[in-house]
Amino acid sequence: MEDERQASCKCGGRQTKGENGVMKKPVRPGALSPGDTVGITAPASWGDRQRMEESARYLERLGLRVRMGETLVKRHGYLAGTDEERARELNGMFADPEIKAILCARGGYGTGRIADLLDYGLIRANPKVFWGYSDITFLHMAMLRYAELVTFHGPMLIDLEEEEPDPLTLQNYETLLNPSALRYTEEISPLHTLVEGEAAGQLVGGNLSLLVSTLGTPYEVGTKGRLLFIEEIDEEPYRVDRMLNQLRLAGKFSDAEGILICDFNNCEPNKRKQSLTLEQVFGDYIVPAGKPAMAGFKIGHCSPNIAVPIGIEARMSTSDKVLECIEPGVRG
């Protein structure tokens, strides 16, 4: 398997030019049209196929066709099939001309295991919407660096299993058919300033623990000249502290132009009852970096879960309390 991994990574990947993986202009995938086919895959953990099919009916109501991948019925411990099976399906969906977008069924664990089995040359030659969050963060970083592709940190089919998904969560998918640039203001949620200022750059980020897991690998998150956003779930403050410290020591905060603190769902003291608060932890790491920073974005393991195009140029302003992209994540 090691030989197959090395061959795949060597043939499929090409490091983009620029310090720390920063690219001048990633490629935006095309917008969807009614009748287009969306592929559903599980590149990490497995889910309940029947429930996923029920969730996919929302996509069908938008006029899209849905093709379920075989990984949704595979089981390999906590993984939706072997590494080779999951990577083969994802590569195949990018190669299939009938599939116009690829949505991840769920996160869980496992995408870092297949990053070196993906054909980034193939992905770069067939730019498509790639959509997911949580464990999918690892693939977002890999595709931005090696395939030069704008991807989407957004709600997955597992998020549509709720009885009443938030209208803003559902609205995310509509922007794939009717492109519009993201503009996040306090009309969505209250925003809190940690460090005043304005900043601009490519949006990059995702789940904190996954971003940390890229450090020291060929897929390391690059923050130089970028706006970094982070989110997390079910991690106690001392663990968040440890991960933020690792990003600090790796220079990720000092390199960034601005920092966006998104949803930290259920990140409360449990094992260690005597604890710093999350606000204190952010104050210890984000504030000293001196970069414009805001908190309160409903991005991540939350409802609503606002989709973010990774790789798109954006600006943030703490005085205007706004995050806005200069263009849609898809081409109209």
Side-chain angles (χ1 to χ4, degrees):
M1 185 173 73
E2 190 63 29
D3 290 341
E4 182 178 346
R5 288 184 184 276
Q6 292 175 353
S8 177
C9 189
K10 180 178 180 180
C11 295
R14 175 175 68 85
Q15 178 142 4
T16 58
K17 296 180 179 180
E19 184 178 353
N20 210 9
V22 176
M23 298 174 291
K24 292 183 178 180
K25 183 76 171 180
V27 173
R28 292 184 297 155
L32 302 182
S33 299
D36 282 348
T37 298
V38 176
I40 307 296
T41 187
S45 295
W46 50 269
D48 186 300
R49 181 186 174 97
Q50 181 177 352
R51 295 176 68 181
M52 295 296 175
E53 289 176 343
E54 292 173 356
S55 298
R57 290 172 186 164
Y58 172 75
L59 302 176
E60 295 172 342
R61 289 197 293 271
L62 293 178
L64 299 170
R65 298 178 180 177
V66 175
R67 184 188 302 176
M68 293 288 182
E70 293 185 2
T71 53
L72 273 74
V73 296
K74 292 185 180 295
R75 302 285 188 273
H76 183 63
Y78 39 75
L79 303 170
T82 66
D83 295 344
E84 289 73 19
E85 288 171 333
R86 288 177 287 118
R88 186 183 309 117
E89 179 166 283
L90 187 51
N91 283 330
M93 286 188 174
F94 271 102
D96 190 334
E98 292 186 2
I99 294 178
K100 304 301 182 184
I102 303 168
L103 271 60
C104 296
R106 61 158 300 162
Y109 172 76
T111 60
R113 295 175 56 122
I114 68 171
D116 56 352
L117 291 175
L118 299 183
D119 188 336
Y120 297 100
L122 168 71
I123 295 170
R124 187 168 56 249
N126 298 276
K128 300 178 181 183
V129 169
F130 178 72
W131 185 291
Y133 75 106
S134 193
D135 197 71
I136 311 304
T137 295
F138 204 104
L139 296 186
H140 288 314
M141 298 304 98
M143 291 184 190
L144 181 60
R145 179 180 283 261
Y146 287 103
E148 303 173 348
L149 178 66
V150 170
T151 59
F152 296 83
H153 181 282
M156 300 176 286
L157 286 193
I158 194 171
D159 297 282
L160 302 183
E161 293 181 2
E162 302 175 17
E163 288 187 12
E164 295 288 340
D166 190 283
L168 289 178
T169 297
L170 297 176
Q171 188 176 323
N172 288 305
Y173 297 101
E174 297 176 14
T175 63
L176 295 178
L177 292 99
N178 302 294
S180 62
L182 171 67
R183 190 173 193 275
Y184 198 117
T185 69
E186 288 194 298
E187 291 183 4
I188 299 176
S189 65
L191 299 176
H192 312 288
T193 299
L194 280 74
V195 180
E196 294 183 353
E198 297 186 357
Q202 287 179 6
L203 276 171
V204 67
N207 182 262
L208 176 60
S209 59
L210 268 295
L211 293 173
V212 168
S213 75
T214 70
L215 299 180
T217 76
Y219 313 99
E220 181 168 328
V221 56
T223 64
K224 191 172 183 62
R226 288 171 162 168
L227 302 180
L228 172 66
F229 70 93
I230 54 175
E231 65 88 26
E232 191 52 88
I233 184 172
D234 293 339
E235 296 286 5
E236 295 193 46
Y238 82 94
R239 294 172 64 90
V240 173
D241 185 313
R242 181 176 62 212
M243 291 184 282
L244 291 179
N245 186 50
Q246 192 166 352
L247 287 182
R248 178 186 69 85
L249 293 174
K252 301 307 176 181
F253 297 141
S254 59
D255 280 348
E257 293 296 311
I259 302 170
L260 308 168
I261 307 299
C262 303
D263 200 80
F264 275 65
N265 190 348
N266 196 36
C267 290
E268 302 295 335
N270 184 18
K271 178 180 177 181
R272 299 175 183 270
K273 296 297 185 181
Q274 186 172 345
S275 172
L276 296 175
T277 66
L278 276 180
E279 289 73 20
Q280 288 175 307
V281 174
F282 293 143
D284 287 343
Y285 293 104
I286 305 302
V287 174
K291 303 302 175 74
M294 284 192 294
F297 294 91
K298 300 296 285 185
I299 297 169
H301 295 77
C302 53
S303 180
N305 180 359
I306 306 300
V308 177
I310 293 178
I312 288 290
E313 291 284 338
R315 64 171 287 270
M316 62 176 290
S317 169
T318 62
S319 59
D320 296 336
K321 295 289 183 69
V322 66
L323 167 69
E324 55 186 356
C325 295
I326 65 170
E327 60 187 350
V330 294
R331 293 176 285 104

